[in-house]
Amino acid sequence: MSEKKSKLFYKQKNIGLTISAEEKSLSDSYCEEYKSFLAVGKTERLATAEAIRLARARGFKEFSPDMELKPGDKIYCSNRGKALMLAIIGKKPLDQGANIAAAHIDSPRLDLKQSPLYEDSEIAFFKTHYYGGIRKYQWVTIPLELCGVVILADGSCVDVEIGSEPTDPVLYITDLLPHLASAQKNKKLGEAITGEQLNIIVGSLPVDEDGESDKVKLSVLKILNEKYRITEEDFLSAELEAVPAIKPRDVGLDRSLIGSYGHDDRVCAFAELKAILDTQDPEKTAVCILADKEEIGSMGVTGMQSMAFEHFMSELCDIQGVKLERCFANSFCLSADVTSAYDPNFPEVYEKRNNARINYGIALSKFTGSGGKSHSSDASAEIVGRVRRMFRNENVVWQMGELGKVDEGGGGTVAMFMANRNIDTIDAGVPVLSMHAPFEVVSKFDCYMTYKGVLAAYQDK
Ligand code: MN
Ligand code: MN
């Protein structure tokens, strides 16, 4: 490139061409830790528990409002075991603002219905109600695990986890054989498998008891009762989630990618978590939010629209005798969520000049939404400028990314709910291939650069 051209043109490079051997090895070891987190944190509850375990090991203490907090103190606050807020108290008081990063730890999945268990043709099934934006045809004929909690009649809570150990059985949803699919194969992709067909096989052996109908269902209930003390009525007060029983694996002969269930958005959640664990004595208070319910609109007590965040922050402000409104007005938030990576298999939906690409670093999204930026917070040029400087100063490789072509579809994140609180907010996260699929793919370098990006935000003065 001529000198003039290189001065005037904006040209990005694939991280593979620029990264040093030293940074590549940091990136690789970061990604090994991330894969371990993914393997354990398969649901919002399991991710919360694992995040608390890691935080406690690094000196974070459970927050209570009567604590005396001084700069450098590390605290966490679990929201009903399904969402988590962590903070490190800054040297500056909270009325000068906090540096916040907000990711979500819920992922698309199949929830069991409240009366799930039935038997048909001597096969026992669980009925499901899908959670979040799934493509239903992707969830048949793959191994599934079951994770969650059951609250028994006496109020005690039983943790259920079936299918995670290599010796465990897994669960399964059938599909038609091609030989009999002549009608199905002509249906639209979105209609070929329906929500009410996502019924999970849980058993097939009848118990030998005379005069009993539903002998297979009875045998499944016997097994559940022996292992977990569950009776059929207990499903009414249960939260059981079927997730893909597929471990995180390196993808590609060069091992440059990671395939896993739940990158959206645990890839940003882990970046935030690891960054706050690695932050020491920040100037401003650093706040890490791991939210629930983003995939269904951030509603409810554990979603980002919940007052739980206000209450946590106002209790921190009260301790310092400052106003929450001042704190929010001066705060900055990275809404850390994944975006879509350009996929050359489907060029028709992407806009090459503006799409994020794998191996080009953490992707900023000035806006999300759909149909003319609807339901998007649309960060200001000033905020984009601020993040540009922040990332440049910390050698964070980043790119700007838009989800896809105009009017091709769209999506949302928690950004607008943070921005509605009068907090300057911008979306940033890892570009994903096959987002919301049971096995999604991200680039290792992009994971690592997202960690570096969040770290830069926490350490911003
Ligand atoms: Mn997401
Ligand atoms: Mn999502």
Side-chain angles (χ1 to χ4, degrees):
M1 212 187 273
S2 72
E3 202 185 326
K4 196 169 200 176
K5 214 172 158 187
S6 68
K7 217 172 179 180
L8 291 175
F9 276 34
Y10 173 54
K11 190 93 182 102
Q12 290 170 288
K13 278 196 175 144
N14 188 304
I15 299 178
L17 296 174
T18 56
I19 197 163
S20 66
E22 189 191 350
E23 244 198 335
K24 178 169 186 313
S25 105
L26 289 172
S27 168
D28 284 341
S29 58
Y30 170 82
C31 287
E32 289 308 307
E33 281 185 61
Y34 170 49
K35 285 194 288 185
S36 308
F37 178 79
L38 271 175
V40 179
K42 294 163 290 191
T43 65
E44 62 282 12
R45 286 178 191 269
L46 293 170
T48 299
E50 179 64 3
I52 290 174
R53 189 185 72 80
L54 294 170
R56 290 182 68 91
R58 297 287 286 268
F60 282 74
K61 301 251 177 341
E62 184 164 19
F63 174 66
S64 86
D66 53 16
M67 274 178 161
E68 274 178 45
L69 291 174
K70 55 181 193 312
D73 281 354
K74 301 173 175 188
I75 52 171
Y76 71 87
C77 176
S78 162
N79 183 356
R80 297 163 171 87
K82 297 172 69 168
L84 186 67
M85 293 167 282
L86 304 104
I88 304 179
I89 307 303
K91 294 175 195 156
K92 293 178 179 171
L94 271 163
D95 54 359
Q96 294 189 38
N99 286 321
I100 303 165
H104 66 95
I105 47 176
D106 61 317
S107 295
R109 61 180 188 249
L110 304 177
D111 287 344
L112 294 202
K113 291 193 184 192
Q114 293 329 114
S115 184
L117 184 60
Y118 71 102
E119 174 176 340
D120 191 343
S121 311
E122 295 171 87
I123 302 175
F125 294 93
F126 281 148
K127 288 211 71 73
T128 65
H129 193 138
Y130 66 93
Y131 172 99
I134 66 160
R135 309 195 69 194
K136 298 177 192 96
Y137 72 88
Q138 294 177 336
W139 290 73
V140 296
T141 71
I142 60 168
L144 298 169
E145 306 181 20
L146 193 68
C147 308
V149 298
V150 182
I151 306 301
L152 304 181
D154 64 4
S156 56
C157 176
V158 179
D159 290 307
V160 172
E161 199 169 342
I162 303 169
S164 57
E165 296 300 320
T167 52
D168 275 2
V170 292
L171 308 178
Y172 184 80
I173 300 172
T174 58
D175 193 5
L176 270 182
L177 60 168
H179 317 64
L180 294 176
S182 49
Q184 190 204 38
K185 76 178 183 213
N186 291 321
K187 287 185 182 171
K188 286 184 187 162
L189 193 57
E191 294 165 3
I193 300 288
T194 66
E196 291 294 350
Q197 280 175 329
L198 294 174
N199 301 316
I200 300 176
I201 291 185
V202 285
S204 67
L205 271 190
V207 280
D208 188 18
E209 281 183 28
D210 280 345
E212 291 283 350
S213 60
D214 288 336
K215 288 180 178 177
V216 181
K217 175 176 168 178
L218 180 60
S219 100
V220 168
L221 275 171
K222 277 186 167 175
I223 294 165
L224 286 171
N225 189 261
E226 267 165 35
K227 193 164 178 196
Y228 298 111
R229 297 182 289 141
I230 301 170
T231 66
E232 189 178 16
E233 190 181 345
D234 296 323
F235 284 119
L236 297 174
S237 49
E239 263 183 345
L240 294 168
E241 307 174 4
V243 299
I246 311 170
K247 298 275 179 238
R249 301 281 294 265
D250 287 350
V251 172
L253 302 183
D254 56 7
R255 296 182 173 269
S256 58
L257 309 167
I258 306 170
S260 176
Y261 166 66
H263 282 312
D264 178 9
D265 183 33
R266 293 184 196 115
V267 69
C268 298
F270 184 73
E272 281 186 11
L273 177 67
K274 176 81 175 147
I276 203 157
L277 299 186
D278 291 350
T279 295
Q280 286 294 337
D281 302 318
E283 289 294 315
K284 289 184 175 176
T285 296
V287 180
C288 166
I289 303 172
L290 308 181
D292 183 25
K293 294 285 178 274
E294 192 279 338
E295 296 293 357
I296 58 169
S298 299
M299 312 291 188
V301 280
T302 52
M304 206 59 248
Q305 299 200 60
S306 160
M307 291 296 287
F309 172 62
E310 267 83 353
H311 293 169
F312 175 64
M313 292 301 292
S314 74
E315 283 176 330
L316 294 187
C317 287
D318 285 350
I319 290 171
Q320 296 188 358
V322 304
K323 280 195 145 170
L324 179 69
E325 291 83 350
R326 291 305 336 139
C327 172
F328 278 0
N330 290 323
S331 289
F332 167 72
C333 177
L334 267 191
S335 163
D337 204 345
V338 299
T339 187
S340 169
Y342 181 81
D343 183 346
N345 261 340
F346 302 97
E348 63 278 10
V349 301
Y350 294 104
E351 200 268 276
K352 224 172 179 173
R353 286 176 193 83
N354 281 284
N355 227 107
R357 288 177 287 178
I358 57 163
N359 287 319
Y360 280 77
I362 179 173
L364 288 193
S365 296
K366 185 176 178 297
F367 55 87
T368 60
S370 61
K373 303 191 181 180
S374 263
H375 289 95
S376 166
S377 94
D378 202 1
S380 68
E382 289 85 347
I383 287 300
V384 180
R386 174 177 167 177
V387 176
R388 258 179 91 180
R389 293 189 297 278
M390 189 173 88
F391 284 175
R392 188 189 53 211
N393 292 341
E394 298 300 325
N395 296 315
V396 179
V397 181
W398 70 280
Q399 55 184 324
M400 188 61 84
E402 195 172 327
L403 193 73
K405 271 186 182 163
V406 175
D407 286 337
E408 199 61 55
T413 64
V414 301
M416 58 182 158
F417 308 119
M418 302 307 288
N420 288 349
R421 293 172 158 114
N422 196 27
I423 298 171
D424 274 318
T425 302
I426 186 165
D427 278 300
V430 176
V432 179
L433 291 166
S434 311
M435 196 201 292
H436 282 206
F439 196 68
E440 309 171 300
V441 169
V442 296
S443 126
K444 289 184 178 177
F445 290 152
D446 297 339
C447 296
Y448 176 67
M449 285 301 163
T450 299
Y451 156 76
K452 280 186 69 174
V454 181
L455 195 61
Y458 286 151
Q459 291 172 348
D460 197 35
K461 293 168 184 171

